[in-house]
Amino acid sequence: MSGEIFRDIVAFITIARERSFTRAAAELGVSQSALSHTIRNLEARLGLRLLIRTTRSVSPTEAGLRLLERVSPRFDVIAGELASLSELGSKIAGTVRITASDFAWNTFVWPRLSPALLHYPDVKLEVSNDPALTDIVAERFDAGIRPGDRIGKNMASVRISPDWRNLIVASPDYLAGKDLPLTPEDLVRHACINTRYAMKEGISPWELKKGDGVQACRVDGPLIFNTVYAALDAALAGYGLAYVPEILARPGLENGHLQAVLEAWCPPRQGFHIFYSSERQLLPALSMIIETLRYDPGFMPS
């Protein structure tokens, strides 16, 4: 098979991902007319229609979608390996894409990474603060930040934080005149502030300790957020009970604006890890970030 078809497939993958000939042409550095000619040639060679084109959009056909799903991950691996080879022995540079929840990023990542990045002006960092359990390979991230017990197979990981836990907290105004919950079953009589980290996922259960195990407790209430910061703000405003990281609730607990309940039922969670595909060679820039974030027991987030 000639090398030309590989070039044409790269062009198709770029168009299918961008859903636009205009953006794909800009990314590839070619004209739209040349790109259209390339796709026509590829479709003629394969004897299949790969793209459906309208005046407003571009989308893959069934055959095009299959080609995209089967072939593009392999091209990503090849591109990554070529980039790794080209950077061996060179200065630390390049783009690193990371996904992390806003809590993990603000508390354990940015305070340590920010000073280090000042020494590497050629490193470009792209961050997605997304609390959902993102598939970093499918979404083309170089790494993700996640609790150690939430990391999938075929991933390498490095711990970056101590263990931590959530607490159930509410404002004294909300709790005034109410019976305090003494067991998780008592939560049904309270307004609970929920979190849902992705629309395709269910509402996140409150993982509470019972005996030797942990039970997923489903609660109900008037508010659902996709970030613990909003849930904490709602608890401070008196809307009900929220299940939020203890480190975020600590100022409110110390100044009396919050009160913890069922504290003995709130178990510790595994610390955050930075994880990445074990099948890809690490770029120098990502290696630098991993070593910067590697867990130091002497580091205490503020």
Side-chain angles (χ1 to χ4, degrees):
M1 186 178 292
S2 69
E4 182 180 349
I5 194 169
F6 291 106
R7 182 200 64 194
D8 294 350
I9 291 174
V10 169
F12 161 74
I13 290 172
T14 306
I15 297 167
R17 285 175 171 172
E18 294 292 337
R19 300 296 178 101
S20 166
F21 272 83
T22 302
R23 290 193 295 270
E27 182 174 334
L28 295 171
V30 299
S31 67
Q32 292 186 51
S33 60
L35 197 54
S36 295
H37 180 71
T38 296
I39 295 302
R40 285 195 298 270
N41 284 344
L42 178 60
E43 290 176 329
R45 185 181 292 112
L46 297 176
L48 294 167
R49 185 79 176 272
L50 299 176
L51 294 170
I52 300 172
R53 284 155 276 196
T54 68
T55 56
R56 294 188 175 184
S57 65
V58 179
S59 60
T61 63
E62 183 178 352
L65 187 60
R66 179 175 175 178
L67 181 63
L68 182 66
E69 291 176 345
R70 299 283 183 88
V71 175
S72 64
R74 292 170 171 81
F75 272 74
D76 289 341
V77 172
I78 293 171
E81 292 302 325
L82 291 175
S84 298
L85 289 173
S86 67
E87 293 190 12
L88 286 176
S90 65
K91 64 181 181 179
I92 295 175
T95 299
V96 178
R97 300 183 70 237
I98 295 178
T99 178
S101 69
D102 48 2
F103 165 59
W105 181 262
N106 294 337
T107 306
F108 298 110
V109 180
W110 188 241
R112 301 180 68 187
L113 189 56
S114 176
L117 287 176
L118 294 174
H119 300 288
Y120 300 99
D122 295 313
V123 172
K124 181 179 179 181
L125 186 64
E126 181 179 343
V127 179
S128 173
N129 283 148
D130 186 353
L133 298 180
T134 304
D135 183 337
I136 63 170
V137 175
E139 299 298 327
R140 297 195 294 165
F141 285 100
D142 297 295
I145 308 293
R146 192 177 296 174
D149 58 351
R150 301 293 176 89
I151 296 172
K153 297 179 180 179
N154 300 321
M155 293 290 163
S157 67
V158 173
R159 176 186 277 264
I160 66 169
S161 86
D163 290 346
W164 56 281
R165 69 170 180 165
N166 282 330
L167 283 182
I168 302 174
V169 298
S171 71
D173 288 342
Y174 168 79
L175 293 172
K178 296 181 177 67
D179 292 332
L180 296 181
L182 301 179
T183 68
E185 288 74 17
D186 296 335
L187 294 173
V188 298
R189 295 191 291 273
H190 285 269
C192 296
I193 301 162
N194 273 304
T195 51
R196 186 204 306 270
Y197 294 129
M199 289 306 297
K200 63 183 178 181
E201 298 177 1
I203 292 174
S204 300
W206 294 9
E207 297 180 348
L208 303 180
K209 183 178 181 180
K210 190 172 187 179
D212 295 329
V214 175
Q215 68 173 7
C217 187
R218 302 287 178 178
V219 297
D220 193 21
L223 296 172
I224 303 172
F225 298 104
N226 74 336
T227 168
V228 293
Y229 290 96
L232 178 61
D233 288 342
L236 285 164
Y239 282 93
L241 300 170
Y243 191 53
V244 297
E246 181 178 12
I247 192 172
L248 297 185
R250 187 182 300 153
L253 295 169
E254 292 175 349
N255 62 25
H257 293 167
L258 289 174
Q259 180 178 336
V261 300
L262 294 177
E263 188 169 353
W265 293 78
C266 298
R269 298 194 61 181
Q270 286 191 28
F272 284 104
H273 289 59
I274 184 169
F275 68 100
Y276 47 94
S277 174
S278 60
E279 298 178 355
R280 296 185 62 178
Q281 183 174 346
L282 289 182
L283 297 177
L286 180 55
S287 295
M288 178 275 294
I289 290 172
I290 291 170
E291 289 308 310
T292 300
L293 297 178
R294 187 180 293 274
Y295 175 52
D296 175 6
F299 170 74
M300 294 298 294
S302 57

